[in-house]
Amino acid sequence: AIFKGSVTILYETFRAFVVTKLTLAAADAIPPSEFSFPVFGPIFCGSIGGCGGAFLPFNKGLDPIKDGLQPPMFSAFVGATFFHLFTQLATDVVDAKKKGKVIVAFWFIMYAFYKNGFFDFILKPTPPPGKVAEKAKEDKKTK
């Protein structure tokens, strides 16, 4: 569990770096149209960058989202949306980009932990010891 948790933290931190970097690059490259800053382009670029290549090769079209968004796609979309709006609208926050990157990385790690069942011991209470013994006896009888 420790190794899996460590790998998850490293992977999600790297993915947060990719999402925030692509969101910032798109915000600098795309000119604003209806609003004072570009809104949808940077969010889409960050979201696609955080999908982990789900749309590759490109001949698959939109098949990866036919049955709904996969967890990495959802977390990348939420992270890119938050980061872009936070960096554009938080004018009085000191080092907003750095703080936004940390928040996105924390979101990715916690969401991955949740989806991989790291919090099951908190969310699912353990039965009392008597119930565990009764369950073991029932399992022996059925075998």
mmCIF file of all heavy atoms in Angstrom, residues 59-108:
data_model
loop_
_atom_site.group_PDB
_atom_site.id
_atom_site.type_symbol
_atom_site.label_atom_id
_atom_site.label_comp_id
_atom_site.label_asym_id
_atom_site.label_seq_id
_atom_site.Cartn_x
_atom_site.Cartn_y
_atom_site.Cartn_z
ATOM 1 N N ASN A 59 -7.625 8.405 -34.438
ATOM 2 C CA ASN A 59 -8.711 7.806 -35.220
ATOM 3 C C ASN A 59 -9.800 7.202 -34.333
ATOM 4 O O ASN A 59 -10.813 6.751 -34.823
ATOM 5 C CB ASN A 59 -8.162 6.744 -36.178
ATOM 6 C CG ASN A 59 -7.502 5.588 -35.455
ATOM 7 O OD1 ASN A 59 -7.418 5.564 -34.232
ATOM 8 N ND2 ASN A 59 -7.020 4.635 -36.221
ATOM 9 N N LYS A 60 -9.616 7.205 -32.998
ATOM 10 C CA LYS A 60 -10.646 6.695 -32.085
ATOM 11 C C LYS A 60 -11.787 7.690 -31.909
ATOM 12 O O LYS A 60 -12.851 7.323 -31.429
ATOM 13 C CB LYS A 60 -10.045 6.376 -30.719
ATOM 14 C CG LYS A 60 -9.069 5.235 -30.748
ATOM 15 C CD LYS A 60 -8.667 4.704 -29.393
ATOM 16 C CE LYS A 60 -8.291 5.689 -28.374
ATOM 17 N NZ LYS A 60 -7.724 5.108 -27.149
ATOM 18 N N GLY A 61 -11.561 8.936 -32.277
ATOM 19 C CA GLY A 61 -12.597 9.946 -32.127
ATOM 20 C C GLY A 61 -12.961 10.176 -30.678
ATOM 21 O O GLY A 61 -12.092 10.276 -29.816
ATOM 22 N N LEU A 62 -14.258 10.219 -30.382
ATOM 23 C CA LEU A 62 -14.726 10.460 -29.024
ATOM 24 C C LEU A 62 -15.138 9.175 -28.308
ATOM 25 O O LEU A 62 -15.851 9.217 -27.304
ATOM 26 C CB LEU A 62 -15.904 11.438 -29.048
ATOM 27 C CG LEU A 62 -15.580 12.847 -29.542
ATOM 28 C CD1 LEU A 62 -16.838 13.700 -29.591
ATOM 29 C CD2 LEU A 62 -14.538 13.504 -28.669
ATOM 30 N N ASP A 63 -14.684 8.031 -28.795
ATOM 31 C CA ASP A 63 -15.014 6.760 -28.151
ATOM 32 C C ASP A 63 -14.602 6.687 -26.683
ATOM 33 O O ASP A 63 -15.311 6.072 -25.886
ATOM 34 C CB ASP A 63 -14.391 5.581 -28.920
ATOM 35 C CG ASP A 63 -15.132 5.302 -30.216
ATOM 36 O OD1 ASP A 63 -16.281 5.783 -30.358
ATOM 37 O OD2 ASP A 63 -14.569 4.594 -31.072
ATOM 38 N N PRO A 64 -13.478 7.283 -26.266
ATOM 39 C CA PRO A 64 -13.120 7.193 -24.840
ATOM 40 C C PRO A 64 -14.133 7.826 -23.889
ATOM 41 O O PRO A 64 -14.166 7.476 -22.720
ATOM 42 C CB PRO A 64 -11.773 7.917 -24.761
ATOM 43 C CG PRO A 64 -11.205 7.800 -26.116
ATOM 44 C CD PRO A 64 -12.383 7.852 -27.049
ATOM 45 N N ILE A 65 -14.967 8.735 -24.374
ATOM 46 C CA ILE A 65 -15.951 9.363 -23.479
ATOM 47 C C ILE A 65 -17.378 8.948 -23.824
ATOM 48 O O ILE A 65 -18.330 9.564 -23.367
ATOM 49 C CB ILE A 65 -15.811 10.904 -23.481
ATOM 50 C CG1 ILE A 65 -16.011 11.486 -24.870
ATOM 51 C CG2 ILE A 65 -14.493 11.321 -22.903
ATOM 52 C CD1 ILE A 65 -16.055 12.996 -24.890
ATOM 53 N N LYS A 66 -17.507 7.880 -24.608
ATOM 54 C CA LYS A 66 -18.837 7.426 -25.000
ATOM 55 C C LYS A 66 -19.664 7.000 -23.786
ATOM 56 O O LYS A 66 -20.854 7.267 -23.710
ATOM 57 C CB LYS A 66 -18.709 6.269 -25.995
ATOM 58 C CG LYS A 66 -20.025 5.752 -26.513
ATOM 59 C CD LYS A 66 -19.870 4.765 -27.651
ATOM 60 C CE LYS A 66 -18.821 3.732 -27.355
ATOM 61 N NZ LYS A 66 -18.736 2.695 -28.389
ATOM 62 N N ASP A 67 -19.032 6.342 -22.824
ATOM 63 C CA ASP A 67 -19.727 5.866 -21.634
ATOM 64 C C ASP A 67 -19.535 6.784 -20.431
ATOM 65 O O ASP A 67 -19.741 6.371 -19.292
ATOM 66 C CB ASP A 67 -19.238 4.458 -21.283
ATOM 67 C CG ASP A 67 -19.569 3.450 -22.363
ATOM 68 O OD1 ASP A 67 -20.631 3.601 -23.014
ATOM 69 O OD2 ASP A 67 -18.767 2.529 -22.573
ATOM 70 N N GLY A 68 -19.122 7.994 -20.651
ATOM 71 C CA GLY A 68 -18.890 8.941 -19.567
ATOM 72 C C GLY A 68 -17.407 9.203 -19.387
ATOM 73 O O GLY A 68 -16.559 8.498 -19.935
ATOM 74 N N LEU A 69 -17.102 10.223 -18.630
ATOM 75 C CA LEU A 69 -15.705 10.582 -18.398
ATOM 76 C C LEU A 69 -15.025 9.584 -17.469
ATOM 77 O O LEU A 69 -15.590 9.200 -16.441
ATOM 78 C CB LEU A 69 -15.608 11.977 -17.785
ATOM 79 C CG LEU A 69 -15.974 13.153 -18.679
ATOM 80 C CD1 LEU A 69 -15.871 14.446 -17.885
ATOM 81 C CD2 LEU A 69 -15.065 13.222 -19.875
ATOM 82 N N GLN A 70 -13.833 9.192 -17.826
ATOM 83 C CA GLN A 70 -13.020 8.363 -16.949
ATOM 84 C C GLN A 70 -12.491 9.239 -15.805
ATOM 85 O O GLN A 70 -12.402 10.455 -15.947
ATOM 86 C CB GLN A 70 -11.859 7.752 -17.737
ATOM 87 C CG GLN A 70 -12.292 6.862 -18.875
ATOM 88 C CD GLN A 70 -13.074 5.656 -18.393
ATOM 89 O OE1 GLN A 70 -12.720 5.037 -17.399
ATOM 90 N NE2 GLN A 70 -14.156 5.343 -19.085
ATOM 91 N N PRO A 71 -12.115 8.656 -14.669
ATOM 92 C CA PRO A 71 -11.644 9.470 -13.537
ATOM 93 C C PRO A 71 -10.487 10.420 -13.867
ATOM 94 O O PRO A 71 -10.522 11.576 -13.432
ATOM 95 C CB PRO A 71 -11.234 8.426 -12.497
ATOM 96 C CG PRO A 71 -12.114 7.268 -12.780
ATOM 97 C CD PRO A 71 -12.280 7.256 -14.269
ATOM 98 N N PRO A 72 -9.458 10.012 -14.663
ATOM 99 C CA PRO A 72 -8.413 10.995 -14.982
ATOM 100 C C PRO A 72 -8.920 12.170 -15.829
ATOM 101 O O PRO A 72 -8.436 13.284 -15.688
ATOM 102 C CB PRO A 72 -7.379 10.186 -15.758
ATOM 103 C CG PRO A 72 -7.618 8.779 -15.378
ATOM 104 C CD PRO A 72 -9.089 8.675 -15.116
ATOM 105 N N MET A 73 -9.894 11.893 -16.681
ATOM 106 C CA MET A 73 -10.453 12.970 -17.502
ATOM 107 C C MET A 73 -11.243 13.945 -16.635
ATOM 108 O O MET A 73 -11.134 15.156 -16.794
ATOM 109 C CB MET A 73 -11.366 12.392 -18.580
ATOM 110 C CG MET A 73 -10.678 11.552 -19.601
ATOM 111 S SD MET A 73 -11.915 10.912 -20.733
ATOM 112 C CE MET A 73 -10.946 9.753 -21.639
ATOM 113 N N PHE A 74 -12.034 13.409 -15.723
ATOM 114 C CA PHE A 74 -12.835 14.260 -14.850
ATOM 115 C C PHE A 74 -11.946 15.118 -13.956
ATOM 116 O O PHE A 74 -12.156 16.328 -13.838
ATOM 117 C CB PHE A 74 -13.779 13.411 -13.998
ATOM 118 C CG PHE A 74 -14.526 14.197 -12.972
ATOM 119 C CD1 PHE A 74 -15.561 15.036 -13.346
ATOM 120 C CD2 PHE A 74 -14.184 14.119 -11.635
ATOM 121 C CE1 PHE A 74 -16.242 15.780 -12.402
ATOM 122 C CE2 PHE A 74 -14.859 14.863 -10.688
ATOM 123 C CZ PHE A 74 -15.894 15.692 -11.066
ATOM 124 N N SER A 75 -10.946 14.489 -13.343
ATOM 125 C CA SER A 75 -10.080 15.259 -12.439
ATOM 126 C C SER A 75 -9.267 16.299 -13.210
ATOM 127 O O SER A 75 -9.026 17.394 -12.706
ATOM 128 C CB SER A 75 -9.166 14.335 -11.642
ATOM 129 O OG SER A 75 -8.279 13.644 -12.478
ATOM 130 N N ALA A 76 -8.846 15.974 -14.442
ATOM 131 C CA ALA A 76 -8.113 16.950 -15.252
ATOM 132 C C ALA A 76 -9.005 18.128 -15.621
ATOM 133 O O ALA A 76 -8.561 19.285 -15.604
ATOM 134 C CB ALA A 76 -7.563 16.287 -16.514
ATOM 135 N N PHE A 77 -10.266 17.858 -15.949
ATOM 136 C CA PHE A 77 -11.194 18.940 -16.296
ATOM 137 C C PHE A 77 -11.442 19.857 -15.093
ATOM 138 O O PHE A 77 -11.394 21.077 -15.220
ATOM 139 C CB PHE A 77 -12.518 18.361 -16.807
ATOM 140 C CG PHE A 77 -13.534 19.423 -17.128
ATOM 141 C CD1 PHE A 77 -13.388 20.222 -18.248
ATOM 142 C CD2 PHE A 77 -14.620 19.622 -16.313
ATOM 143 C CE1 PHE A 77 -14.315 21.213 -18.540
ATOM 144 C CE2 PHE A 77 -15.556 20.595 -16.589
ATOM 145 C CZ PHE A 77 -15.403 21.392 -17.711
ATOM 146 N N VAL A 78 -11.680 19.260 -13.936
ATOM 147 C CA VAL A 78 -11.909 20.062 -12.728
ATOM 148 C C VAL A 78 -10.653 20.853 -12.373
ATOM 149 O O VAL A 78 -10.724 22.041 -12.046
ATOM 150 C CB VAL A 78 -12.364 19.164 -11.554
ATOM 151 C CG1 VAL A 78 -12.382 19.941 -10.246
ATOM 152 C CG2 VAL A 78 -13.723 18.575 -11.834
ATOM 153 N N GLY A 79 -9.490 20.205 -12.451
ATOM 154 C CA GLY A 79 -8.233 20.868 -12.123
ATOM 155 C C GLY A 79 -7.914 22.014 -13.067
ATOM 156 O O GLY A 79 -7.508 23.100 -12.636
ATOM 157 N N ALA A 80 -8.092 21.791 -14.381
ATOM 158 C CA ALA A 80 -7.816 22.841 -15.359
ATOM 159 C C ALA A 80 -8.788 24.016 -15.201
ATOM 160 O O ALA A 80 -8.386 25.174 -15.302
ATOM 161 C CB ALA A 80 -7.897 22.278 -16.775
ATOM 162 N N THR A 81 -10.045 23.704 -14.946
ATOM 163 C CA THR A 81 -11.040 24.763 -14.755
ATOM 164 C C THR A 81 -10.709 25.601 -13.521
ATOM 165 O O THR A 81 -10.690 26.833 -13.583
ATOM 166 C CB THR A 81 -12.454 24.164 -14.623
ATOM 167 O OG1 THR A 81 -12.742 23.386 -15.786
ATOM 168 C CG2 THR A 81 -13.490 25.252 -14.465
ATOM 169 N N PHE A 82 -10.451 24.928 -12.413
ATOM 170 C CA PHE A 82 -10.116 25.654 -11.194
ATOM 171 C C PHE A 82 -8.853 26.490 -11.385
ATOM 172 O O PHE A 82 -8.826 27.670 -11.037
ATOM 173 C CB PHE A 82 -9.910 24.698 -10.012
ATOM 174 C CG PHE A 82 -9.255 25.366 -8.845
ATOM 175 C CD1 PHE A 82 -9.993 26.182 -8.010
ATOM 176 C CD2 PHE A 82 -7.896 25.236 -8.617
ATOM 177 C CE1 PHE A 82 -9.384 26.836 -6.948
ATOM 178 C CE2 PHE A 82 -7.279 25.878 -7.560
ATOM 179 C CZ PHE A 82 -8.030 26.683 -6.728
ATOM 180 N N PHE A 83 -7.801 25.865 -11.921
ATOM 181 C CA PHE A 83 -6.520 26.569 -12.051
ATOM 182 C C PHE A 83 -6.650 27.788 -12.953
ATOM 183 O O PHE A 83 -6.134 28.863 -12.636
ATOM 184 C CB PHE A 83 -5.455 25.618 -12.596
ATOM 185 C CG PHE A 83 -4.108 26.259 -12.719
ATOM 186 C CD1 PHE A 83 -3.341 26.507 -11.596
ATOM 187 C CD2 PHE A 83 -3.607 26.620 -13.953
ATOM 188 C CE1 PHE A 83 -2.099 27.109 -11.699
ATOM 189 C CE2 PHE A 83 -2.366 27.219 -14.070
ATOM 190 C CZ PHE A 83 -1.611 27.468 -12.940
ATOM 191 N N HIS A 84 -7.329 27.631 -14.079
ATOM 192 C CA HIS A 84 -7.456 28.754 -15.009
ATOM 193 C C HIS A 84 -8.251 29.902 -14.389
ATOM 194 O O HIS A 84 -7.821 31.062 -14.445
ATOM 195 C CB HIS A 84 -8.108 28.290 -16.308
ATOM 196 C CG HIS A 84 -8.237 29.373 -17.316
ATOM 197 N ND1 HIS A 84 -7.157 30.076 -17.802
ATOM 198 C CD2 HIS A 84 -9.317 29.910 -17.924
ATOM 199 C CE1 HIS A 84 -7.564 30.975 -18.673
ATOM 200 N NE2 HIS A 84 -8.882 30.900 -18.753
ATOM 201 N N LEU A 85 -9.388 29.585 -13.794
ATOM 202 C CA LEU A 85 -10.198 30.652 -13.200
ATOM 203 C C LEU A 85 -9.503 31.265 -11.983
ATOM 204 O O LEU A 85 -9.587 32.472 -11.760
ATOM 205 C CB LEU A 85 -11.577 30.114 -12.834
ATOM 206 C CG LEU A 85 -12.438 29.679 -14.023
ATOM 207 C CD1 LEU A 85 -13.756 29.111 -13.540
ATOM 208 C CD2 LEU A 85 -12.664 30.824 -14.992
ATOM 209 N N PHE A 86 -8.789 30.450 -11.218
ATOM 210 C CA PHE A 86 -8.067 30.957 -10.049
ATOM 211 C C PHE A 86 -6.959 31.909 -10.467
ATOM 212 O O PHE A 86 -6.804 32.984 -9.889
ATOM 213 C CB PHE A 86 -7.501 29.787 -9.244
ATOM 214 C CG PHE A 86 -6.776 30.186 -7.995
ATOM 215 C CD1 PHE A 86 -7.469 30.656 -6.895
ATOM 216 C CD2 PHE A 86 -5.400 30.083 -7.912
ATOM 217 C CE1 PHE A 86 -6.810 31.012 -5.730
ATOM 218 C CE2 PHE A 86 -4.724 30.439 -6.757
ATOM 219 C CZ PHE A 86 -5.437 30.915 -5.663
ATOM 220 N N THR A 87 -6.186 31.542 -11.474
ATOM 221 C CA THR A 87 -5.070 32.403 -11.884
ATOM 222 C C THR A 87 -5.555 33.657 -12.601
ATOM 223 O O THR A 87 -4.862 34.677 -12.565
ATOM 224 C CB THR A 87 -4.085 31.643 -12.790
ATOM 225 O OG1 THR A 87 -4.788 31.094 -13.913
ATOM 226 C CG2 THR A 87 -3.381 30.544 -12.021
ATOM 227 N N GLN A 88 -6.704 33.598 -13.235
ATOM 228 C CA GLN A 88 -7.202 34.769 -13.961
ATOM 229 C C GLN A 88 -7.983 35.727 -13.058
ATOM 230 O O GLN A 88 -7.961 36.938 -13.278
ATOM 231 C CB GLN A 88 -8.086 34.336 -15.132
ATOM 232 C CG GLN A 88 -7.371 33.535 -16.184
ATOM 233 C CD GLN A 88 -6.268 34.313 -16.869
ATOM 234 O OE1 GLN A 88 -6.407 35.493 -17.162
ATOM 235 N NE2 GLN A 88 -5.161 33.641 -17.144
ATOM 236 N N LEU A 89 -8.667 35.197 -12.073
ATOM 237 C CA LEU A 89 -9.564 36.031 -11.272
ATOM 238 C C LEU A 89 -9.013 36.410 -9.904
ATOM 239 O O LEU A 89 -9.501 37.355 -9.286
ATOM 240 C CB LEU A 89 -10.913 35.324 -11.098
ATOM 241 C CG LEU A 89 -11.669 35.040 -12.404
ATOM 242 C CD1 LEU A 89 -12.925 34.253 -12.111
ATOM 243 C CD2 LEU A 89 -11.990 36.327 -13.131
ATOM 244 N N ALA A 90 -8.022 35.671 -9.406
ATOM 245 C CA ALA A 90 -7.465 35.961 -8.080
ATOM 246 C C ALA A 90 -6.344 36.973 -8.218
ATOM 247 O O ALA A 90 -5.163 36.643 -8.144
ATOM 248 C CB ALA A 90 -6.969 34.681 -7.426
ATOM 249 N N THR A 91 -6.704 38.233 -8.407
ATOM 250 C CA THR A 91 -5.705 39.268 -8.651
ATOM 251 C C THR A 91 -4.963 39.693 -7.390
ATOM 252 O O THR A 91 -3.826 40.145 -7.470
ATOM 253 C CB THR A 91 -6.372 40.510 -9.276
ATOM 254 O OG1 THR A 91 -7.442 40.935 -8.419
ATOM 255 C CG2 THR A 91 -6.920 40.173 -10.654
ATOM 256 N N ASP A 92 -5.588 39.533 -6.241
ATOM 257 C CA ASP A 92 -4.942 39.983 -5.012
ATOM 258 C C ASP A 92 -4.289 38.839 -4.224
ATOM 259 O O ASP A 92 -3.867 39.037 -3.094
ATOM 260 C CB ASP A 92 -5.932 40.723 -4.121
ATOM 261 C CG ASP A 92 -7.192 39.927 -3.862
ATOM 262 O OD1 ASP A 92 -7.456 38.975 -4.606
ATOM 263 O OD2 ASP A 92 -7.924 40.263 -2.909
ATOM 264 N N VAL A 93 -4.174 37.659 -4.829
ATOM 265 C CA VAL A 93 -3.504 36.530 -4.183
ATOM 266 C C VAL A 93 -2.024 36.561 -4.570
ATOM 267 O O VAL A 93 -1.679 36.630 -5.750
ATOM 268 C CB VAL A 93 -4.132 35.189 -4.609
ATOM 269 C CG1 VAL A 93 -3.367 34.010 -4.030
ATOM 270 C CG2 VAL A 93 -5.586 35.141 -4.200
ATOM 271 N N VAL A 94 -1.160 36.515 -3.569
ATOM 272 C CA VAL A 94 0.278 36.518 -3.818
ATOM 273 C C VAL A 94 0.684 35.147 -4.358
ATOM 274 O O VAL A 94 0.308 34.118 -3.801
ATOM 275 C CB VAL A 94 1.049 36.839 -2.523
ATOM 276 C CG1 VAL A 94 2.544 36.801 -2.759
ATOM 277 C CG2 VAL A 94 0.619 38.182 -1.974
ATOM 278 N N ASP A 95 1.452 35.128 -5.443
ATOM 279 C CA ASP A 95 1.897 33.881 -6.084
ATOM 280 C C ASP A 95 0.724 32.967 -6.400
ATOM 281 O O ASP A 95 0.724 31.781 -6.051
ATOM 282 C CB ASP A 95 2.915 33.143 -5.221
ATOM 283 C CG ASP A 95 4.245 33.852 -5.133
ATOM 284 O OD1 ASP A 95 4.582 34.590 -6.086
ATOM 285 O OD2 ASP A 95 4.950 33.666 -4.129
ATOM 286 N N ALA A 96 -0.271 33.477 -7.087
ATOM 287 C CA ALA A 96 -1.483 32.702 -7.384
ATOM 288 C C ALA A 96 -1.166 31.471 -8.230
ATOM 289 O O ALA A 96 -1.765 30.413 -8.023
ATOM 290 C CB ALA A 96 -2.495 33.584 -8.103
ATOM 291 N N LYS A 97 -0.219 31.591 -9.156
ATOM 292 C CA LYS A 97 0.094 30.441 -10.011
ATOM 293 C C LYS A 97 0.713 29.308 -9.206
ATOM 294 O O LYS A 97 0.350 28.144 -9.380
ATOM 295 C CB LYS A 97 1.017 30.867 -11.151
ATOM 296 C CG LYS A 97 0.344 31.779 -12.144
ATOM 297 C CD LYS A 97 1.281 32.225 -13.233
ATOM 298 C CE LYS A 97 0.562 33.203 -14.152
ATOM 299 N NZ LYS A 97 1.439 33.725 -15.198
ATOM 300 N N LYS A 98 1.628 29.622 -8.316
ATOM 301 C CA LYS A 98 2.256 28.582 -7.496
ATOM 302 C C LYS A 98 1.242 27.945 -6.552
ATOM 303 O O LYS A 98 1.215 26.722 -6.388
ATOM 304 C CB LYS A 98 3.423 29.159 -6.695
ATOM 305 C CG LYS A 98 4.615 29.531 -7.538
ATOM 306 C CD LYS A 98 5.736 30.083 -6.673
ATOM 307 C CE LYS A 98 6.904 30.524 -7.532
ATOM 308 N NZ LYS A 98 7.982 31.102 -6.723
ATOM 309 N N LYS A 99 0.430 28.768 -5.931
ATOM 310 C CA LYS A 99 -0.577 28.238 -5.013
ATOM 311 C C LYS A 99 -1.619 27.415 -5.763
ATOM 312 O O LYS A 99 -2.075 26.374 -5.269
ATOM 313 C CB LYS A 99 -1.242 29.375 -4.252
ATOM 314 C CG LYS A 99 -0.300 30.033 -3.260
ATOM 315 C CD LYS A 99 -0.932 31.200 -2.560
ATOM 316 C CE LYS A 99 0.077 31.833 -1.612
ATOM 317 N NZ LYS A 99 -0.413 33.043 -0.988
ATOM 318 N N GLY A 100 -1.982 27.857 -6.958
ATOM 319 C CA GLY A 100 -2.924 27.095 -7.771
ATOM 320 C C GLY A 100 -2.368 25.743 -8.172
ATOM 321 O O GLY A 100 -3.090 24.734 -8.168
ATOM 322 N N LYS A 101 -1.062 25.681 -8.478
ATOM 323 C CA LYS A 101 -0.445 24.399 -8.830
ATOM 324 C C LYS A 101 -0.473 23.432 -7.654
ATOM 325 O O LYS A 101 -0.748 22.240 -7.827
ATOM 326 C CB LYS A 101 0.993 24.613 -9.295
ATOM 327 C CG LYS A 101 1.098 25.260 -10.654
ATOM 328 C CD LYS A 101 2.541 25.474 -11.042
ATOM 329 C CE LYS A 101 2.632 26.169 -12.385
ATOM 330 N NZ LYS A 101 4.017 26.333 -12.839
ATOM 331 N N VAL A 102 -0.209 23.933 -6.469
ATOM 332 C CA VAL A 102 -0.231 23.075 -5.284
ATOM 333 C C VAL A 102 -1.647 22.570 -5.018
ATOM 334 O O VAL A 102 -1.846 21.388 -4.703
ATOM 335 C CB VAL A 102 0.322 23.828 -4.052
ATOM 336 C CG1 VAL A 102 0.093 23.043 -2.774
ATOM 337 C CG2 VAL A 102 1.793 24.129 -4.244
ATOM 338 N N ILE A 103 -2.630 23.434 -5.174
ATOM 339 C CA ILE A 103 -4.019 23.036 -4.940
ATOM 340 C C ILE A 103 -4.445 21.987 -5.959
ATOM 341 O O ILE A 103 -5.106 20.996 -5.615
ATOM 342 C CB ILE A 103 -4.951 24.260 -4.960
ATOM 343 C CG1 ILE A 103 -4.635 25.172 -3.773
ATOM 344 C CG2 ILE A 103 -6.413 23.848 -4.959
ATOM 345 C CD1 ILE A 103 -5.310 26.521 -3.828
ATOM 346 N N VAL A 104 -4.076 22.169 -7.227
ATOM 347 C CA VAL A 104 -4.429 21.187 -8.262
ATOM 348 C C VAL A 104 -3.742 19.852 -7.987
ATOM 349 O O VAL A 104 -4.364 18.789 -8.105
ATOM 350 C CB VAL A 104 -4.083 21.717 -9.671
ATOM 351 C CG1 VAL A 104 -4.215 20.636 -10.718
ATOM 352 C CG2 VAL A 104 -4.981 22.894 -10.018
ATOM 353 N N ALA A 105 -2.485 19.874 -7.602
ATOM 354 C CA ALA A 105 -1.782 18.627 -7.281
ATOM 355 C C ALA A 105 -2.451 17.924 -6.098
ATOM 356 O O ALA A 105 -2.631 16.695 -6.113
ATOM 357 C CB ALA A 105 -0.311 18.907 -6.976
ATOM 358 N N PHE A 106 -2.828 18.689 -5.082
ATOM 359 C CA PHE A 106 -3.516 18.110 -3.922
ATOM 360 C C PHE A 106 -4.851 17.495 -4.345
ATOM 361 O O PHE A 106 -5.208 16.392 -3.908
ATOM 362 C CB PHE A 106 -3.717 19.178 -2.849
ATOM 363 C CG PHE A 106 -4.354 18.665 -1.600
ATOM 364 C CD1 PHE A 106 -3.627 17.894 -0.704
ATOM 365 C CD2 PHE A 106 -5.681 18.949 -1.315
ATOM 366 C CE1 PHE A 106 -4.211 17.408 0.448
ATOM 367 C CE2 PHE A 106 -6.271 18.474 -0.166
ATOM 368 C CZ PHE A 106 -5.543 17.701 0.718
ATOM 369 N N TRP A 107 -5.596 18.179 -5.210
ATOM 370 C CA TRP A 107 -6.867 17.661 -5.716
ATOM 371 C C TRP A 107 -6.645 16.358 -6.462
ATOM 372 O O TRP A 107 -7.363 15.379 -6.242
ATOM 373 C CB TRP A 107 -7.552 18.694 -6.597
ATOM 374 C CG TRP A 107 -8.496 18.125 -7.616
ATOM 375 C CD1 TRP A 107 -8.329 18.100 -8.959
ATOM 376 C CD2 TRP A 107 -9.764 17.488 -7.381
ATOM 377 N NE1 TRP A 107 -9.391 17.493 -9.566
ATOM 378 C CE2 TRP A 107 -10.290 17.101 -8.616
ATOM 379 C CE3 TRP A 107 -10.490 17.200 -6.237
ATOM 380 C CZ2 TRP A 107 -11.504 16.450 -8.760
ATOM 381 C CZ3 TRP A 107 -11.713 16.540 -6.378
ATOM 382 C CH2 TRP A 107 -12.205 16.192 -7.617
ATOM 383 N N PHE A 108 -5.659 16.316 -7.350
ATOM 384 C CA PHE A 108 -5.391 15.097 -8.117
ATOM 385 C C PHE A 108 -5.047 13.933 -7.193
ATOM 386 O O PHE A 108 -5.532 12.815 -7.377
ATOM 387 C CB PHE A 108 -4.253 15.317 -9.104
ATOM 388 C CG PHE A 108 -4.635 16.076 -10.353
ATOM 389 C CD1 PHE A 108 -3.682 16.352 -11.311
ATOM 390 C CD2 PHE A 108 -5.918 16.513 -10.571
ATOM 391 C CE1 PHE A 108 -4.008 17.035 -12.456
ATOM 392 C CE2 PHE A 108 -6.265 17.209 -11.705
ATOM 393 C CZ PHE A 108 -5.308 17.462 -12.665
#
